[in-house]
Amino acid sequence: MAESAQPQVAAQPGGSGRSNVLTSYDPRTGETVGNYAVMGAGEINRTVRAGRAAEKWWAELGFSGRKRWLLDWKRDIARRAGELVEILSEETGKPEADAAIEVMLAVENLDWAARNAARALGRHKLGSTWLTRNQQASVGYLPLGVIGVLGPWNNPVFTPMGSIAYAMAAGNTVVFKPHELTTGVGVWLADSWARLAPNQPVLQVVTGDHATGNALCRAKVDKIAYAGSDAGAREVIALCTQTMTPVVVERSGKGSMVVHVDAKLDDAAEAAVFGAMANAGQNATGIQRAYVAESVYEPFLELVVAQAAKLRPGADKRASYGPMILESQVEVVRRQIRDALARGGRAVVGGLDSIREPYIEPVVLAEVPEESLAITGEGIGPVLVVNKVTSMEDAAQRINAVGNDVAVSVFTRDVHEIETFAEHLRVGVVTINSSTAYAGIPALPFGGVGEYGQGHSHGDQGLREFSHTLAIARKRYKAPVNLSTFDRHPRHLRLAKTIFRIRHGRRT
């Protein structure tokens, strides 16, 4: 189990004094993965202009034309998936199986977006009222133009594809800036499109560091899609405000689980451990904390302890998960564990000695006060908090008080009452008797509430995020009761008032 001997990303200075080469490293071994240019504002602007040049061709293909191109691209990615899986594993340290699953989920989203864009965005008729029967109304959705996508480091294929595929299917061109830790996967995706359409830069990649991402925000694209940390989200929003560029934001962090008194505890414990520990706890669709009914708390905790204790991080094929991808995140996890223990929580699996950089062995904390950083902070790392609650209402209040959940998983056999319970939660997604599986449903919109995020990815809402609405109303014939004129006949107004009273003044 070799530790990284150097930073995962290093920038080499150029003659101008500014770093112009980005070198990425395998977090498991410290070996070099690749070298990439650090692109400046001038290069970013030229890339955006190239996207503008391709925009007209791509939009005019229409839904059916774009569908053919996107499905061809999907097939190329699928045939070469082994290459992408290898790069993904090298840049993140993920086990091959985890990397393969991420690529498969990303391709499923590309396929769904290509096949469903026409249905979700195509022009369709709208109904009218008795006052406007002579009007024919319709609504459709048109592309915005050039979309900037800022990718994360934790799921660098699946997460940005939730914006890239949907933006392209809606008729936009895309400029993708992958995270500096995972630049290679972004370059691979852009190259795969370039093989298919070398003269049409519908998807382009820009490489570089933090400043490169900021330059993309300032490049006056038509929308920015960002996924990453809370601090990064606030910075992107502030930068885009300067140019009035709209933003779709997916902040990092994880969700919660609620275990009701009648839950199948084996299933709930399995889902909690997988949701908390998979990808070293670096999944935005995962589980940060479980709120468990008092009467089943101890047996649930015993099951969680037994399952978590069997897991082992590492670099070999039999490892349960890989290293922490972002080096600085190790200290964040250490700080959260230390704070939870200092406030009276107890470690039932692992603890501070579980941190052996770049790996963190499973940590399960019990009875952690709600004000602890392990609960209020962004939950990135293989740490699960298990707390007891007195009721479902108690669980809902605790979840809403923290307000940083991506999703909530509820385990119960009484599924009929869950929809009512779900409506009391300030989250965008609620799942029943499963945890992370919802991420594999492309039609399911994924988005947060309040400070968690702005906008949606996936599903019809994800397609419409990258479109603007065009409503059209057409007069078909002269209205028998015409009120839209200064020369309206008094008889028309009397008739309209009578019909109005009949329609809306009577109890039905």
Side-chain angles (χ1 to χ4, degrees):
M1 189 182 295
E3 293 190 358
S4 176
Q6 51 192 319
Q8 286 170 256
V9 172
Q12 301 170 5
S16 65
R18 183 174 184 269
S19 301
N20 58 13
V21 176
L22 190 73
T23 301
S24 63
Y25 300 92
D26 187 325
R28 301 166 295 189
T29 64
E31 295 177 352
T32 299
V33 175
N35 295 298
Y36 308 97
V38 177
M39 298 173 68
E43 293 164 293
I44 302 300
N45 291 331
R46 284 193 292 273
T47 303
V48 171
R49 284 197 297 270
R52 294 251 179 248
E55 175 189 332
K56 186 173 185 293
W57 170 79
W58 185 242
E60 288 182 350
L61 284 175
F63 293 112
S64 60
R66 292 195 295 270
K67 176 181 175 181
R68 288 192 294 271
W69 278 95
L70 291 173
L71 293 181
D72 283 346
W73 185 37
K74 175 203 75 168
R75 283 186 282 271
D76 183 74
I77 294 174
R79 288 166 183 161
R80 297 171 180 261
E83 299 173 15
L84 183 55
V85 167
E86 183 178 358
I87 296 171
L88 180 55
S89 291
E90 288 176 345
E91 290 198 317
T92 64
K94 292 185 182 189
E96 181 183 346
D98 288 358
I101 291 170
E102 180 176 343
V103 170
M104 287 190 284
L105 290 174
V107 169
E108 288 293 339
N109 273 279
L110 174 55
D111 180 80
W112 190 91
R115 296 182 187 278
N116 287 275
R119 175 192 56 76
L121 305 178
R123 182 158 296 279
H124 59 275
K125 292 181 180 180
L126 302 173
S128 59
T129 72
W130 64 278
L131 282 170
T132 54
R133 285 180 181 173
N134 67 320
Q135 299 282 335
Q136 180 175 291
S138 66
V139 66
Y141 301 87
L142 302 178
L144 295 173
V146 180
I147 306 299
V149 176
L150 300 173
W153 48 264
N154 54 340
N155 287 302
V157 178
F158 170 69
T159 299
M161 190 61 83
S163 296
I164 293 170
Y166 291 75
M168 291 173 68
N172 304 280
T173 60
V174 173
V175 177
F176 175 35
K177 195 279 178 186
H179 193 279
E180 48 264 39
L181 295 183
T182 54
T183 301
V185 296
V187 170
W188 192 96
L189 287 171
D191 286 349
S192 67
W193 174 264
R195 284 195 300 267
L196 194 68
N199 299 317
Q200 298 294 348
V202 175
L203 172 64
Q204 301 174 89
V205 68
V206 292
T207 62
D209 53 15
H210 177 261
T212 307
N214 288 354
L216 182 57
C217 291
R218 296 189 184 100
K220 296 184 179 180
V221 294
D222 296 288
K223 197 164 198 174
I224 287 284
Y226 168 85
S229 69
D230 177 44
R234 294 178 186 278
E235 183 175 10
V236 166
I237 292 169
L239 286 168
C240 289
T241 298
Q242 298 171 14
T243 54
M244 299 298 289
T245 303
V247 183
V248 181
V249 172
E250 179 185 323
R251 284 169 47 196
S252 56
K254 289 185 287 189
S256 296
M257 174 182 286
V258 178
V259 182
H260 197 27
V261 292
D262 63 349
K264 293 182 179 179
L265 297 185
D266 286 341
D267 291 350
E270 180 182 38
V273 172
F274 183 80
M277 310 298 173
N279 192 26
Q282 299 166 113
N283 285 332
T285 58
I287 302 296
Q288 180 176 1
R289 56 203 189 277
Y291 292 114
V292 187
E294 283 184 303
S295 60
V296 296
Y297 180 79
E298 291 301 334
F300 174 82
L301 188 60
E302 289 176 6
L303 290 167
V304 165
V305 168
Q307 292 198 32
K310 294 186 294 185
L311 303 180
R312 182 182 62 82
D316 58 275
K317 290 185 177 180
R318 287 184 289 183
S320 306
Y321 55 83
M324 299 302 292
I325 303 168
L326 182 62
E327 197 172 17
S328 61
Q329 189 60 35
V330 174
E331 183 55 35
V332 175
V333 174
R334 180 182 283 113
R335 188 164 59 248
Q336 290 181 351
I337 295 172
R338 184 183 292 122
D339 180 74
L341 298 177
R343 291 177 184 271
R346 57 191 179 97
V348 293
V349 175
L352 288 170
D353 58 354
S354 299
I355 301 174
R356 300 174 183 177
E357 299 182 45
Y359 299 97
I360 301 178
E361 295 177 353
V363 177
V364 178
L365 304 173
E367 300 171 24
V368 176
E370 294 294 311
E371 64 272 15
S372 298
L373 293 176
I375 290 178
T376 62
E378 291 177 294
I380 303 174
V383 179
L384 174 65
V385 173
V386 184
N387 281 352
K388 65 179 68 172
V389 291
T390 57
S391 64
M392 297 285 278
E393 291 72 22
D394 183 18
Q397 288 174 4
R398 296 190 188 204
I399 290 167
N400 291 340
V402 177
N404 63 359
D405 278 352
V406 179
V408 172
S409 301
V410 183
F411 276 76
T412 179
R413 302 184 199 208
D414 185 9
V415 298
H416 301 295
E417 299 298 321
I418 292 305
E419 287 191 8
T420 301
F421 172 71
E423 291 174 357
H424 290 90
L425 300 172
R426 285 185 52 78
V427 294
V429 179
V430 174
T431 69
I432 304 170
N433 295 330
S434 70
S435 57
T436 62
Y438 74 90
I441 307 173
L444 189 73
F446 183 69
V449 175
E451 287 195 1
Y452 167 68
Q454 298 182 17
H456 290 82
S457 58
H458 303 179
D460 289 2
Q461 288 89 332
L463 287 164
R464 289 173 185 165
E465 282 292 345
F466 303 105
S467 310
H468 73 86
T469 304
L470 177 61
I472 297 175
R474 178 174 65 86
K475 180 180 176 181
R476 295 185 297 165
Y477 54 85
K478 184 177 180 180
V481 178
N482 187 10
L483 303 181
S484 300
T485 174
F486 287 114
D487 294 327
R488 69 176 71 94
H489 197 286
R491 185 174 64 251
H492 287 183
L493 184 58
R494 288 195 298 271
L495 178 60
K497 287 180 176 180
T498 300
I499 296 174
F500 174 79
R501 286 194 297 271
I502 293 172
R503 280 177 53 82
H504 301 294
R506 293 180 177 180
R507 181 174 296 174
T508 56

